[in-house]
Amino acid sequence: MHNIKEIRKDFDAFSKALKKRSIDIDLNKLKKLDIDNRDLIQKKETLEKEKKDISKTKDKALFSRSKEITQSIDKITDQQSKIKSDLDEILSSIPNIPHDDVPVGSNENENVELTKSGQIPNFEFTPKSHYELGEKLGMLDFDLATKTTGSRFVFVKNKLALLERAISNFMLDIHTSKNGYEEISPPLLASENTMFGTGQLPKFENDQFEVKLEEGSGRKFLIPTAEVILTNIVKDKILDLKTLPMRFVASTPCFRKEAGSYGKDTKGMIRQHQFYKVELVSIVEQNKCLEELERMTNCATGILDLLELPYRKMILCSGDMGFSAEKTYDIEVWLPSENKYREISSCSSCSTFQATRMKARYKNSNKETVFVGTLNGSGLAVGRTLIAILENFQQKDGSISIPKVLRPYMNNLEKISLN
């Protein structure tokens, strides 16, 4: 969330930077509300001074005037409360400002490819989609999930369920033992304040699954990503500089309504309401966000290197980034059935944007209390990794060769087949 005092310092520069986001926000209304609020503050301070001066004189003749002043102050306080509410509503809906490194663009078509890695498989047959392969193996069941739950869910069975678990455990092992992340098994429910802290609320409420608990417990939501709960670990804290950086990893189910995605990726596991993801979160000194972003992205791509999956790295343009991000890299894995790359990880620096909403701070080397920097990234999306393995390691007979690094997690099984 942005600070109105910082915006006020150079309103035109802020407005210009926000235009890169390709969104429509009435900043003139924000400017007027700020001016009105400051006028009320001045009037209130003047009245309070007058009231204080009257109290010093102890002149009974001025008693009625003092009473009038109190009523005026109360009226101004009510006006300020309404203005502050309107100000906060606008400020909470304004996304983070793009970093200067970010290419200006309005949508995904203007994202920029940075690198490509790995060898795209050259099949001597027409490659099948992951859902064709999984259904023929009898290990992906979308129809059963539709009967028990609804669309955009799946039953993963037998050896594919083992593979899904192996992928998650493998990623956790790499991130904890080699990449220095602390494993967390967090709650899967988040409060309204927690969702606000990372930017899911109020703007993206339609994408969230709300859960009704006992009366008086407050609003609760199923986490759309472990980023929400992991980042809020430092909410309302003032951290010691020695504790930074903090790096967390969690493997959790995630839940999203996928509002606005009607008709997109309706077949298969690409876009599900429930999916598993290994999430990385970093809490750092605010001037080390971009350095940490490179590190985090390398941790994510390192998983794909070990799995021997082909991928490319993209930098998102200003109009395609997430709400809280200042800079984002997308990692896209090759899917043979679609003959194109699809997102498997998104790594973002949020600078101090989330920290401001969460009131997450630290004492810097000058003993000043300042906001931390926060970052998050998929390391990786488990379901999409499963999809990529099925498609890239498929054999002519419909069996799936298991990547070598995963075999120790699967009782040294070398391939998944009907036999």
Side-chain angles (χ1 to χ4, degrees):
M1 189 164 166
H2 298 283
N3 187 327
I4 189 63
K5 292 179 182 177
E6 294 300 315
I7 296 173
R8 191 188 302 144
K9 288 177 183 177
D10 197 337
F11 188 86
D12 291 338
F14 182 81
S15 180
K16 186 177 178 181
L18 194 59
K19 282 180 181 176
K20 296 177 183 179
R21 278 290 202 160
S22 299
I23 56 169
D24 186 23
I25 292 178
D26 188 357
L27 290 181
N28 288 323
K29 183 180 178 182
L30 180 72
K31 192 174 188 177
K32 185 179 185 307
L33 285 168
D34 181 43
I35 291 169
D36 291 346
N37 187 48
R38 283 187 289 158
D39 285 346
L40 289 173
I41 289 170
Q42 287 182 341
K43 287 177 183 176
K44 189 175 179 180
E45 286 175 349
T46 300
L47 288 170
E48 285 173 341
K49 184 179 183 304
E50 184 181 351
K51 186 178 178 181
K52 189 176 181 180
D53 290 342
I54 290 172
S55 68
K56 287 179 181 178
T57 63
K58 297 180 181 179
D59 188 340
K60 291 183 180 179
L62 293 173
F63 178 77
S64 60
R65 173 58 187 156
S66 180
K67 196 171 182 181
E68 286 175 10
I69 292 172
T70 299
Q71 290 173 343
S72 295
I73 289 172
D74 289 344
K75 187 177 179 181
I76 288 173
T77 300
D78 289 341
Q79 288 176 300
Q80 277 186 300
S81 179
K82 175 66 170 65
I83 286 175
K84 188 176 186 311
S85 177
D86 291 343
L87 266 173
D88 286 346
E89 185 178 344
I90 295 174
L91 287 170
S92 66
S93 70
I94 299 175
N96 203 350
I97 296 299
H99 191 273
D100 291 342
D101 291 349
V102 173
V104 177
S106 57
N107 56 52
E108 62 183 13
N109 297 320
E110 294 173 89
N111 296 338
V112 178
E113 182 183 291
L114 299 176
T115 59
K116 279 182 180 174
S117 298
Q119 186 69 41
I120 290 174
N122 183 22
F123 295 106
E124 295 178 352
F125 56 91
T126 302
K128 292 182 174 65
S129 67
H130 69 279
Y131 50 86
E132 289 176 295
L133 291 162
E135 285 178 336
K136 285 192 175 182
L137 287 167
M139 299 178 193
L140 289 183
D141 197 330
F142 298 94
D143 291 338
L144 180 58
T146 300
K147 288 176 185 176
T148 61
T149 312
S151 61
R152 296 191 188 275
F153 292 90
V154 64
F155 275 86
V156 183
K157 301 178 178 180
N158 204 323
K159 294 297 189 293
L160 287 192
L162 175 59
L163 176 58
E164 184 179 55
R165 177 159 52 93
I167 290 167
S168 179
N169 288 340
F170 163 70
M171 290 176 183
L172 285 173
D173 283 351
I174 295 298
H175 291 314
T176 54
S177 65
K178 294 190 175 180
N179 295 334
Y181 288 86
E182 176 188 350
E183 184 176 356
I184 305 285
S185 180
L188 300 182
L189 290 179
S191 68
E192 187 174 8
N193 284 339
T194 297
M195 295 284 278
F196 175 84
T198 43
Q200 275 71 29
L201 294 183
K203 194 171 177 64
F204 304 101
E205 185 170 338
N206 289 338
D207 244 340
Q208 315 307 327
F209 281 106
E210 186 170 358
V211 178
K212 295 191 183 299
L213 298 178
E214 66 272 13
E215 195 172 336
S217 65
R219 299 178 74 193
K220 298 289 189 295
F221 299 84
L222 289 170
I223 59 169
T225 164
E227 167 209 341
V228 173
I229 211 85
L230 295 180
T231 308
N232 273 277
I233 285 174
V234 296
K235 175 185 174 184
D236 293 324
K237 287 186 177 180
I238 299 176
L239 305 170
D240 190 312
L241 181 60
K242 293 176 184 176
T243 65
L244 300 178
M246 301 170 76
R247 298 186 177 109
F248 306 123
V249 62
S251 179
T252 68
C254 305
F255 306 88
R256 293 180 193 170
K257 285 185 179 177
E258 294 292 350
S261 67
Y262 180 79
K264 292 181 181 177
D265 301 312
T266 53
K267 295 195 80 172
M269 293 175 64
I270 288 285
R271 203 178 295 272
Q272 299 267 283
H273 289 312
Q274 174 188 316
F275 54 96
Y276 289 91
K277 186 150 66 83
V278 172
E279 185 73 0
L280 307 174
V281 162
S282 295
I283 312 297
V284 299
E285 295 173 64
Q286 57 181 231
N287 63 336
K288 294 186 177 177
C289 283
L290 296 186
E291 176 188 329
E292 184 70 12
L293 178 60
E294 299 299 326
R295 182 191 189 278
M296 177 179 283
T297 307
N298 288 337
C299 290
T301 57
I303 297 291
L304 290 171
D305 290 330
L306 290 168
L307 290 170
E308 300 181 82
L309 288 168
Y311 64 92
R312 67 176 182 174
K313 177 181 170 183
M314 309 285 289
I315 182 169
L316 299 195
C317 71
S318 54
D320 195 37
M321 291 193 303
F323 180 78
S324 298
E326 65 163 350
K327 183 178 180 180
T328 298
Y329 292 126
D330 266 11
I331 304 162
E332 298 179 348
V333 70
W334 178 256
L335 294 188
S337 71
E338 298 186 22
N339 199 38
K340 67 179 181 182
Y341 292 95
R342 296 294 297 261
E343 180 197 335
I344 196 168
S345 172
S346 192
C347 298
S348 299
S349 165
C350 300
S351 185
T352 59
F353 185 82
Q354 292 177 326
T356 305
R357 296 167 80 99
M358 297 186 302
K359 296 182 175 60
R361 296 156 291 172
Y362 71 104
K363 294 277 189 183
N364 66 16
S365 56
N366 295 324
K367 303 302 179 186
E368 300 165 319
T369 303
V370 294
F371 290 108
V372 299
T374 65
L375 301 95
N376 63 81
S378 311
L380 308 157
V382 175
R384 292 198 177 189
T385 305
L386 178 66
I387 290 168
I389 290 171
L390 288 176
E391 294 204 6
N392 284 278
F393 285 84
Q394 64 180 289
Q395 307 299 307
K396 190 174 182 178
D397 64 358
S399 64
I400 312 297
S401 178
I402 298 168
K404 291 176 182 176
V405 291
L406 293 181
R407 292 177 188 176
Y409 294 86
M410 298 189 66
N411 303 314
N412 294 315
L413 192 67
E414 294 185 4
K415 73 174 184 176
I416 296 173
S417 62
L418 280 169
N419 300 326

